């Protein structure tokens, strides 16, 4: 597993496998967010299989599939709600971790200074400087 820390409790990751759930639970992960649509993965990694494995390990599962051209504010709000309602570590995953990091960055607008958001994403290996205008617009709207 390649977990990349975004803030004190939130991590982004490339695609996970059902077999990863026990290790995630042992590491204190309480919520797993899948940002990858089922059409992108084989049956063994689709949401139902991942949810079953996560819940068997005691991890809450949230399915919030996103494709970047069709990113919506509803998806950002769902991500924010899942993170805010978690009572421990949160891991969000997609193909590479980029979509999950974009969702976290947009969900964090107005709660974390924009420079800190962009520094965190860069440290995690996801430089998202091109998102600055969107993050700042969301910050101003909140």
């Amino acid at each position: 597993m390649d977990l990349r820390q975004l803030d004190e409790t939130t991590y982004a990751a490339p695609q996970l496998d059902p077999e990863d759930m026990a290790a995630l639970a042992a590491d204190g992960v309480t919520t797993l967010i899948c940002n990858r649509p089922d059409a992108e993965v084989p049956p063994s990694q689709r949401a139902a299989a991942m949810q079953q494995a996560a819940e068997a390990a005691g991890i809450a599962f949230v399915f919030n599939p996103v494709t970047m051209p069709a990113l919506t504010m509803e998806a950002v709000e769902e991500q924010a709600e899942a993170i805010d309602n978690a009572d421990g570590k949160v891991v969000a995953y997609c193909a590479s971790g980029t979509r999950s990091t974009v969702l976290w960055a947009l969900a964090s607008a107005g709660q974390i200074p924009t420079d800190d958001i962009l520094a965190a994403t860069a440290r995690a290996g996801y430089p998202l400087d091109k998102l600055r205008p969107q993050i700042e617009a969301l910050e101003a709207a909140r």
Side-chain angles (χ1 to χ4, degrees):
M1 288 182 296
D2 180 14
L3 303 183
R4 301 179 187 194
Q5 191 165 6
L6 299 172
D7 64 25
E8 291 178 9
T9 60
T10 311
Y11 298 76
Q15 180 66 49
L16 298 171
D17 292 306
E19 297 78 25
D20 295 328
M21 297 309 123
L24 289 172
D27 193 35
V29 174
T30 61
T31 301
L32 182 66
I33 305 171
C34 173
N35 296 129
R36 196 157 189 203
D38 277 345
E40 294 182 6
V41 294
S44 64
Q45 294 176 329
R46 289 189 182 146
M50 296 297 287
Q51 181 173 3
Q52 182 178 14
E55 290 176 352
I59 299 172
F61 183 84
V62 176
F63 187 45
N64 185 22
V66 172
T67 57
M68 289 314 288
L71 178 63
T72 64
M73 276 310 297
E74 290 81 17
V76 172
E77 290 164 3
E78 185 172 342
Q79 196 87 356
E81 184 177 322
I83 292 167
D84 292 345
N85 290 335
D87 59 0
K89 290 182 185 177
V90 176
V91 173
Y93 73 92
C94 57
S96 67
T98 301
R99 282 177 275 192
S100 298
T101 302
V102 167
L103 285 163
W104 172 83
L106 296 174
S108 298
Q111 298 176 4
I112 300 172
T114 300
D115 287 341
D116 294 348
I117 292 170
L118 295 175
T121 65
R123 274 192 309 273
Y126 304 105
L128 300 176
D129 290 335
K130 291 181 181 181
L131 273 185
R132 179 177 291 279
Q134 291 91 338
I135 294 169
E136 290 175 342
L138 286 172
E139 181 179 32
R142 293 182 176 151

